[in-house]
Amino acid sequence: MIDKNKKGSVIWESPSNIALVKYWGKRGIQIPCNPSVSMTLKNAVTKMQLDYYPIQKGNQLNFEFEGKSQPIFEKRISNFLDGLIEDFPFINDFGFSISSENTFPHSTGIASSASAMSALALCLCSMQEEVYGQKLETEEFNRKASYIARLGSGSASRSIYGAYAVWGESSAFSKSSNDYAVPFAKYLHPIFDSYQDMILLVSSEKKKVSSTAGHQLMKNHPYANARFAQANTNFEKTLGVLRSGDLENFVELVENEALSLHGLMMNSNPSFTLLKPNTLEAIERIREYRRMTKIPLCFTLDAGPNIHLLFPKSDFDNVSSFVKTELSELLEDGKYLLDEKGEGPRKL
Ligand code: DP6
């Protein structure tokens, strides 16, 4: 039974993630056109507090980001909540006050929608438990949170799980689903246990295309079918590599995914070039460094110019000095952020 007079507060901290195989193109209600797999980050997190209180009739929402009211986000969340009435039938009986903050700066190449939407989904699932006075099993809780997060932002579905997560149906992973992400934990090769992600800030300019608009570019894209076939193959191979620890293939697959994403944006209509000259120069230097040293560092990119450098923890000192001496001159104010594989969201 629902307690409509309940008042409460829940707080979750939820991370961003970086896709190794990219979700690019969707259909229907947030259904991905291909499976994706990502590494969950540790340091880049959204901390969200959701306070709820009884009201006569919905919808009442107050949203603050880093202490300031944010009407645009507030509207987006309000629309999102309106769409969740079937999943959370209690939603119109409560007013909401939500405050959110990120541990990472804006426009740095870290997907803030992944951390924010996963945090919101987790808060709503915890609220459901409180107003019904009934706890869900962990697996069921996570599945629902991932499903709700996906409706907010596809990549957010993967942030519900630590380590590595898979979203999108594939015969290569029997538990996979288009509706929610699932953890990829079993049989992970130990080399990926402490994988590093150094995020290089090439430019903090506002994005020219939102990822939501970007996904639309795949509709009627001349290479759409070839892309979805490629993504399926890369997905299957990447899962194999995550099990075997074959870093040579890992490097090849991850870079191929990043550049395919940008290739698709460049030859879509309208076309977008989100890479900056310094992104390309950094890519050249990363490849040359790898060729010379045999250190298996590789890069990946989201829909923007900033670079995620991925490498095993044992190479940290070497990669750090390479970044300082050879890459920092290409970066905005020489800036980069350190991150690594994380353990997933935390309820506070
Ligand atoms: C390039 O998850 O941000 O980062 O579902 O429209 O919110 P929406 O898109 P979003 O797209 C992410 C695209 C990507 C690749 C990825 O994370 O898989």
Side-chain angles (χ1 to χ4, degrees):
M1 258 290 276
I2 175 173
D3 178 357
K4 288 191 181 175
N5 295 318
K6 200 163 169 69
K7 200 170 163 223
S9 182
V10 287
I11 309 178
W12 275 93
E13 208 175 75
S14 190
S16 187
N17 67 76
I18 178 69
L20 306 172
V21 175
K22 311 288 179 183
Y23 146 55
W24 199 241
K26 59 178 160 182
R27 57 190 162 82
I29 301 172
Q30 297 281 96
I31 299 296
C33 291
N34 64 263
S36 58
V37 55
S38 58
M39 180 173 93
T40 301
L41 298 181
K42 182 176 182 179
N43 302 330
V45 303
T46 293
K47 184 175 162 191
M48 190 175 279
Q49 174 165 348
L50 179 149
D51 299 331
Y52 61 91
Y53 50 90
I55 53 168
Q56 285 314 317
K57 199 153 170 42
N59 116 14
Q60 263 182 43
L61 168 69
N62 175 56
F63 176 77
E64 278 185 6
F65 180 68
E66 300 185 342
K68 293 196 198 91
S69 68
Q70 292 279 355
I72 295 174
F73 284 144
E74 190 173 283
K75 185 81 198 121
R76 184 171 168 192
I77 293 178
S78 170
N79 290 342
F80 178 59
L81 294 177
D82 280 346
L84 294 180
I85 184 78
E86 271 180 35
D87 300 297
F88 296 120
F90 56 85
I91 222 156
N92 283 338
D93 297 320
F94 295 91
F96 297 90
S97 177
I98 300 173
S99 60
S100 174
E101 59 192 48
N102 291 346
T103 55
F104 54 93
H106 243 301
S107 306
T108 44
I110 293 174
S112 54
S113 67
S115 55
M117 283 304 178
S118 56
L120 179 57
L122 289 158
C123 284
L124 290 168
C125 289
S126 290
M127 177 185 168
Q128 174 188 318
E129 290 190 327
E130 290 187 3
V131 298
Y132 284 102
Q134 203 174 6
K135 280 218 146 300
L136 297 174
E137 294 286 333
T138 307
E139 202 175 317
E140 197 186 339
F141 181 93
N142 286 342
R143 183 163 291 183
K144 179 152 188 184
S146 178
Y147 165 83
I148 299 294
R150 174 202 120 225
L151 297 176
S153 179
S155 54
S157 66
R158 300 184 306 239
S159 280
I160 300 299
Y161 300 100
Y164 297 80
V166 158
W167 172 46
E169 244 164 62
S170 163
S171 54
F173 197 63
S174 63
K175 293 191 189 73
S176 63
S177 167
N178 283 336
D179 297 334
Y180 46 79
V182 289
F184 181 84
K186 262 194 193 166
Y187 315 118
L188 183 73
H189 190 279
I191 190 86
F192 294 113
D193 246 346
S194 53
Y195 233 63
Q196 303 291 297
D197 180 6
M198 223 180 245
I199 301 147
L200 311 178
L201 183 67
V202 174
S203 166
S204 61
E205 239 174 62
K206 200 176 159 355
K207 280 206 232 171
K208 282 185 262 182
V209 58
S210 70
S211 48
T212 305
H215 291 288
Q216 300 307 318
L217 301 174
M218 290 309 287
K219 294 221 162 95
N220 308 315
H221 194 292
Y223 300 149
N225 289 336
R227 162 58 192 161
F228 303 140
Q230 173 201 40
N232 272 284
T233 308
N234 281 351
F235 175 80
E236 184 166 356
K237 286 187 183 166
T238 302
L239 295 196
V241 158
L242 288 172
R243 292 183 177 110
S244 70
D246 174 353
L247 292 184
E248 210 173 302
N249 273 316
F250 181 76
V251 164
E252 200 176 302
L253 287 160
V254 166
E255 294 191 353
N256 178 251
E257 276 294 310
L259 294 176
S260 295
L261 172 73
H262 283 266
L264 290 162
M265 280 187 272
M266 284 191 233
N267 61 19
S268 57
N269 186 9
S271 151
F272 292 96
T273 48
L274 304 187
L275 300 176
K276 297 282 181 196
N278 280 0
T279 313
L280 293 171
E281 179 59 28
I283 286 175
E284 291 294 309
R285 293 186 192 183
I286 291 161
R287 288 180 158 174
E288 180 60 13
Y289 178 78
R290 183 168 70 227
R291 204 176 60 79
M292 299 298 288
T293 61
K294 306 277 178 268
I295 290 174
L297 89 164
C298 64
F299 65 85
T300 186
L301 305 151
D302 269 346
N306 299 316
I307 294 175
H308 289 245
L309 260 189
L310 304 179
F311 53 92
K313 192 169 190 160
S314 52
D315 292 316
F316 186 85
D317 291 346
N318 284 327
V319 173
S320 278
S321 59
F322 162 63
V323 169
K324 282 187 193 121
T325 57
E326 292 189 50
L327 298 183
S328 66
E329 66 188 26
L330 303 172
L331 309 180
E332 198 175 280
D333 304 324
K335 270 195 208 142
Y336 57 91
L337 300 167
L338 299 179
D339 217 322
E340 60 185 311
K341 189 215 80 176
E343 298 307 322
R346 281 195 313 146
K347 188 166 189 240
L348 302 180

